Amino acid sequence: MIELAERHTFKLPAQCRSLIELKSSDDVEQLVFEEPYYLLGEGSNTLFVDNFYGTVICNRLLGVCIEEQEDSYLITAAAGENWHNFVADLRVRSIDGLENLALIPGSVGAAPVQNVGAYGVEVATFIEQVTAWDIKEKRWVSMNREACQFAYRDSVFKQNPGRWLITSVVFRLPKDWQPVTHYAPLNQLQGHVSAQKIFDTVVEVRQKKLPDPKVIPNAGSFFKNPVITKAQLDELLQKWPDMVYFPVADNQVKVAAGWLIEHLGLKSAFVGDAAVNPHQALVLINKAQATGSDITQLALKIMKQVVDASGIMLEPEVRLVGQHGLVQLAVKK
Ligand code: EPU
């Protein structure tokens, strides 16, 4: 068995039966995908909550190619590139658009899977194409933005885990750059706002609010912000007039799950060494020796209290891997 603690940012003790490091896309066609297997990038959105009796395939494909076109840059990045280094490198070259997504942990290949987003920007906006090996049909595919079926923290890749091994992502960044500053605290910036200023501010805010996974193991937001109807919202606002929410569509709003967790007094909740992050309650942390069972129990405790108080069923944003593959968490209303 092979230890996985250092291969996921939550650092839970867990092992897998075998592990493959994929370093060249030439090797993809020869890979044998024997069930169960799990496709891993930098492990910043996956928690191994138990030993996994299967194969973990780590994507380590590297390389970035920038093509300058008349109105935009077309950038092809291999899936194993580190996301923040990629964003920072583009900033140095004055190729702008991804600066709001600075410091998001993980790899380039993971970005389209959960359509990473932060401070008013979702990566889907800039994705031109995703190249992947279709494991089921044993062929290469190039998927355009529509085929990727992007939604809030969601995509066709997330909906069909294990179907495609993403090898590279093509981004189109228009030269006519527009700053996105409507999301707090970027909306406090005064005067002309440069891409560098946004990049620096996002890095500063993330460093202040979100624990550095290298210091305090975590996997970013543990739950998605739930989307509810306006009717549900009106009911909740009668009880909690200062509840934080954001409009998403005509009849829908996204509730700040961090607010719900904090408001229900769960900021100090813990099970063993698994705890709620005191600076941002949507993030759960491993204080030192947390186990998969600790974190699962803590998540279920939060889900139960939130559903009992609000009727809202929180859904994990991270992926939990157990003995035979992905596991779902569920509580009764
Ligand atoms: N809030 C609280 N208490 C908390 C946490 C949040 O009251 O403990 C309230 C704040 O008042 C704030 C609102 O909730 O007004 C939203 O909080 P924040 O701006 O920190 O963002 P979030 O909704 O908790 C989302 C993303 C983050 C992303 C930030 C910034 C999800 C699941 N998470 O968090 O993404 O960095 O917005 O754009 O959508 C991630 O996906 O791993 C991640 C960190």
Side-chain angles (χ1 to χ4, degrees), residues 118-119 152-153 183 206 209 221 223 225 256 259 262 280-281:
Y119 303 101
Y152 166 60
R153 291 295 190 281
Y183 197 98
R206 289 191 77 102
K209 281 181 41 171
S221 300
F223 298 103
N225 284 325
W259 185 93
E262 176 172 4
Q280 218 287 5

Side-chain angles (χ1 to χ4, degrees), residues 88-160:
D89 185 54
L90 292 179
R91 176 79 284 286
V92 169
R93 293 166 193 267
S94 299
I95 300 176
D96 301 324
L98 299 180
E99 55 284 341
N100 296 52
L101 306 179
L103 219 62
I104 292 181
S107 62
V108 165
V113 177
Q114 52 153 345
N115 183 16
V116 294
Y119 303 101
V121 172
E122 282 188 351
V123 76
T125 314
F126 299 102
I127 291 182
E128 177 95 348
Q129 189 178 292
V130 173
T131 304
W133 175 253
D134 184 335
I135 295 168
K136 192 169 153 203
E137 299 196 348
K138 298 192 174 60
R139 65 185 180 102
W140 288 102
V141 287
S142 287
M143 295 158 86
N144 63 17
R145 193 179 310 140
E146 201 186 354
C148 294
Q149 296 175 25
F150 290 120
Y152 166 60
R153 291 295 190 281
D154 202 13
S155 71
V156 75
F157 310 108
K158 191 154 182 189
Q159 290 295 325
N160 298 271

Side-chain angles (χ1 to χ4, degrees), residues 44-102:
S44 57
N45 209 47
T46 294
L47 277 71
F48 290 101
V49 292
D50 205 336
N51 287 336
F52 172 54
Y53 294 101
T55 306
V56 171
I57 300 167
C58 297
N59 195 322
R60 298 280 177 262
L61 303 175
L62 298 178
V64 176
C65 171
I66 301 174
E67 186 192 326
E68 183 170 0
Q69 298 191 338
E70 201 181 322
D71 307 331
S72 58
Y73 293 94
L74 209 56
I75 302 135
T76 306
E81 288 286 338
N82 172 270
W83 176 260
H84 177 70
N85 291 347
F86 171 65
V87 172
D89 185 54
L90 292 179
R91 176 79 284 286
V92 169
R93 293 166 193 267
S94 299
I95 300 176
D96 301 324
L98 299 180
E99 55 284 341
N100 296 52
L101 306 179

Side-chain angles (χ1 to χ4, degrees), residues 101-254:
L101 306 179
L103 219 62
I104 292 181
S107 62
V108 165
V113 177
Q114 52 153 345
N115 183 16
V116 294
Y119 303 101
V121 172
E122 282 188 351
V123 76
T125 314
F126 299 102
I127 291 182
E128 177 95 348
Q129 189 178 292
V130 173
T131 304
W133 175 253
D134 184 335
I135 295 168
K136 192 169 153 203
E137 299 196 348
K138 298 192 174 60
R139 65 185 180 102
W140 288 102
V141 287
S142 287
M143 295 158 86
N144 63 17
R145 193 179 310 140
E146 201 186 354
C148 294
Q149 296 175 25
F150 290 120
Y152 166 60
R153 291 295 190 281
D154 202 13
S155 71
V156 75
F157 310 108
K158 191 154 182 189
Q159 290 295 325
N160 298 271
R163 167 77 190 266
W164 293 279
L165 189 157
I166 295 174
T167 53
S168 65
V169 183
V170 182
F171 301 86
R172 184 180 289 281
L173 298 177
K175 288 183 180 171
D176 178 19
W177 172 76
Q178 302 294 336
V180 178
T181 54
H182 62 269
Y183 197 98
L186 299 176
N187 56 3
Q188 307 297 315
L189 298 174
Q190 307 283 327
H192 169 75
V193 181
S194 66
Q196 187 64 47
K197 183 74 192 157
I198 294 178
F199 181 94
D200 293 340
T201 309
V202 167
V203 168
E204 195 187 312
V205 176
R206 289 191 77 102
Q207 282 174 339
K208 215 181 286 167
K209 281 181 41 171
L210 303 170
D212 178 353
K214 290 196 190 93
V215 184
I216 302 172
N218 75 90
S221 300
F222 195 91
F223 298 103
K224 285 192 200 179
N225 284 325
V227 175
I228 62 170
T229 61
K230 286 251 169 72
Q232 285 172 291
L233 173 73
D234 290 342
E235 225 170 274
L236 288 173
L237 285 178
Q238 286 189 2
K239 188 155 107 174
W240 299 319
D242 53 349
M243 185 176 81
V244 178
Y245 63 92
F246 309 92
V248 283
D250 274 358
N251 190 35
Q252 290 185 321
V253 297
K254 206 189 275 177

